Amino acid sequence: MQGKKTGGRKKGTPNKSTMLGKSSIVELLNDYSNSGLMSSDFKILDPKDRLYIAEKLMQYVMPKMQSTSLNFDDSEKGKTIEDTLSKLAEEET
């Protein structure tokens, strides 16, 4: 039966152990935050460590920006930005 699924979880069904692990972590962090200890522990840290932790936490709530670059060769000299943008738009479609 190559290529045909014959058992196990159906597509889209969440893994129970993964769900249990995630919910345990969320509950633990909620308790820690609600106790007020998280804020006080965060304030006790050195500024360098606070920034490090803040950056790590931001990764879970903000999308990372990706850098982009444009490479121009000699054949592009003399073209306007409008010409270049039109050419790039054509390549995307």
Side-chain angles (χ1 to χ4, degrees), residues 76 78-85:
E76 300 292 323
K79 289 187 177 181
T80 65
I81 190 71
E82 289 82 9
D83 294 336
T84 305
L85 290 173

Side-chain angles (χ1 to χ4, degrees), residues 32 36-47 49-50:
Y32 182 44
L37 289 172
M38 183 183 268
S39 294
S40 64
D41 289 348
F42 188 73
K43 290 175 186 173
I44 291 171
L45 294 172
D46 291 333
D49 295 331
R50 253 186 303 212

Side-chain angles (χ1 to χ4, degrees), residues 68-73 81 84-85 88:
T68 57
S69 64
L70 294 174
N71 295 324
F72 294 99
D73 57 18
I81 190 71
T84 305
L85 290 173
L88 289 171

Side-chain angles (χ1 to χ4, degrees), residues 6-70:
T6 59
R9 288 185 288 128
K10 297 207 184 310
K11 186 176 182 179
T13 304
N15 184 315
K16 289 179 186 176
S17 62
T18 302
M19 282 181 28
L20 180 62
K22 285 182 180 182
S23 65
S24 297
I25 291 169
V26 167
E27 185 178 336
L28 180 69
L29 288 173
N30 279 334
D31 291 346
Y32 182 44
S33 178
N34 291 337
S35 72
L37 289 172
M38 183 183 268
S39 294
S40 64
D41 289 348
F42 188 73
K43 290 175 186 173
I44 291 171
L45 294 172
D46 291 333
K48 166 183 81 164
D49 295 331
R50 253 186 303 212
L51 287 172
Y52 176 78
I53 290 174
E55 184 220 352
K56 291 293 182 187
L57 292 173
M58 278 191 275
Q59 293 177 18
Y60 295 98
V61 294
M62 296 178 67
K64 277 192 173 181
M65 303 297 287
Q66 293 185 356
S67 64
T68 57
S69 64
L70 294 174

